[in-house]
Amino acid sequence: MDRIKLAVLISGRGSNLQSLIDACADKSFPARIAQVISNVPGVAGLARAEEAGIPVAVVDHKAFEDRQGFEAGLNEVLEKSGVDLICMAGFMRLLTDGFINPWRDRLINIHPSLLPAFKGVHVHEQVVESGVRFSGCTVHFVRPAMDDGPIIIQAVVPVRGNDDADALAARILAQEHRIYPRAVRLFAEKRLHIAGGRVLIEGAETPEDALVNPRADDGRNSLSDI
Ligand code: GRF
């Protein structure tokens, strides 16, 4: 089996990168990481990649006069490593149409909310403040508008009454680490078919149950019971 080649773009801690490194450590996983690129020097994610023996590059946005120059710098590394799919994982730079369009349908991102709700930054603060009962995370194809594009996979977590942003972030992060490798696997297995704004997934099973929060006190918590 040919494994597709991934590039992972990071700006920091790299725990999602680590979940992809761990998935790719299994030789039967249909992808491998060929390149990690950070726009910030010295971040923990770079050390994780080096530890795993993955080629790393720093393309520091501050070293370029404008976004176009920065994106040309990214493309130079990406083209040399001949990647099939770019995974943005905590990559904190906005990319322009000039970068995104040539990589259309080969560029994915993970965002820590149930898109299209709660785009942008300080997501968990916004969620806690809003009073919604559920949040989660989303892996999606990237389109030029921020945190926009066809959704591949989502995971849902409850928001608890005593949550602060950090507690919620930790609960969601654990789910991010589950869904990002799954999204990459589905892409590599060519099971994702983009139809307009939607992604149809070959052979996908949808859970039957819905969740209710707060939990129903009659023991019937899923909508299928009600
Ligand atoms: C994650 O919550 C991701 O969804 C968001 O930024 C965070 C990055 O965390 N875009 P890490 O660097 O992967 O640990």
Side-chain angles (χ1 to χ4, degrees), residues 12-17 48 89-92 109-112 124 173 176-177:
R13 173 178 62 181
S15 71
N16 277 291
L17 164 64
R48 294 178 192 266
F91 183 68
M92 300 304 286
N109 180 45
I110 186 155
H111 181 77
H124 306 298
L173 195 64
E176 293 185 42
H177 299 160

Side-chain angles (χ1 to χ4, degrees), residues 128-171:
V128 169
E129 188 67 20
S130 75
V132 293
R133 295 293 184 228
F134 291 100
S135 190
C137 44
T138 304
V139 180
H140 64 99
F141 286 103
V142 174
R143 294 290 182 262
M146 188 180 56
D147 297 326
D148 184 49
I151 290 170
I152 300 168
I153 184 168
Q154 295 185 305
V156 176
V157 306
V159 181
R160 299 194 202 285
N162 58 356
D163 272 345
D164 59 14
D166 289 347
L168 180 60
R171 191 173 311 126

Side-chain angles (χ1 to χ4, degrees), residues 10-210:
I10 61 167
S11 301
R13 173 178 62 181
S15 71
N16 277 291
L17 164 64
Q18 188 69 54
S19 75
L20 294 172
I21 291 173
D22 294 346
C24 292
D26 178 348
K27 294 276 178 289
S28 70
F29 192 74
R32 66 183 182 85
I33 305 174
Q35 182 73 56
V36 169
I37 306 177
S38 173
N39 67 309
V40 183
V43 294
L46 286 168
R48 294 178 192 266
E50 279 166 357
E51 172 79 11
I54 298 165
V56 301
V58 174
V59 180
D60 183 350
H61 59 280
K62 291 187 185 144
F64 298 88
E65 262 184 22
D66 53 22
R67 285 188 191 272
Q68 280 67 31
F70 169 60
E71 292 174 355
L74 286 179
N75 264 323
E76 200 180 310
V77 179
L78 291 165
E79 274 154 23
K80 259 190 214 143
S81 50
V83 299
D84 303 296
L85 175 68
I86 304 172
C87 301
M88 293 165 59
F91 183 68
M92 300 304 286
R93 300 301 293 172
L94 284 177
L95 296 167
T96 70
D97 302 15
F99 180 88
I100 292 171
N101 289 335
W103 288 102
R104 190 184 168 90
D105 302 344
R106 295 181 298 148
L107 174 61
I108 64 178
N109 180 45
I110 186 155
H111 181 77
S113 79
L114 292 174
L115 290 175
F118 302 107
K119 298 180 176 184
V121 292
H122 306 303
V123 170
H124 306 298
E125 286 86 346
Q126 289 182 55
V127 166
V128 169
E129 188 67 20
S130 75
V132 293
R133 295 293 184 228
F134 291 100
S135 190
C137 44
T138 304
V139 180
H140 64 99
F141 286 103
V142 174
R143 294 290 182 262
M146 188 180 56
D147 297 326
D148 184 49
I151 290 170
I152 300 168
I153 184 168
Q154 295 185 305
V156 176
V157 306
V159 181
R160 299 194 202 285
N162 58 356
D163 272 345
D164 59 14
D166 289 347
L168 180 60
R171 191 173 311 126
I172 290 174
L173 195 64
Q175 300 307 313
E176 293 185 42
H177 299 160
R178 296 177 67 203
I179 68 170
Y180 216 172
R182 273 193 74 190
V184 168
R185 172 187 282 283
L186 291 168
F187 180 95
E189 292 174 345
K190 298 187 169 38
R191 290 168 61 190
L192 303 179
H193 303 286
I194 301 176
R198 304 173 71 189
V199 178
L200 306 176
I201 305 179
E202 255 174 67
E205 278 186 40
T206 303
E208 280 167 26
D209 288 347

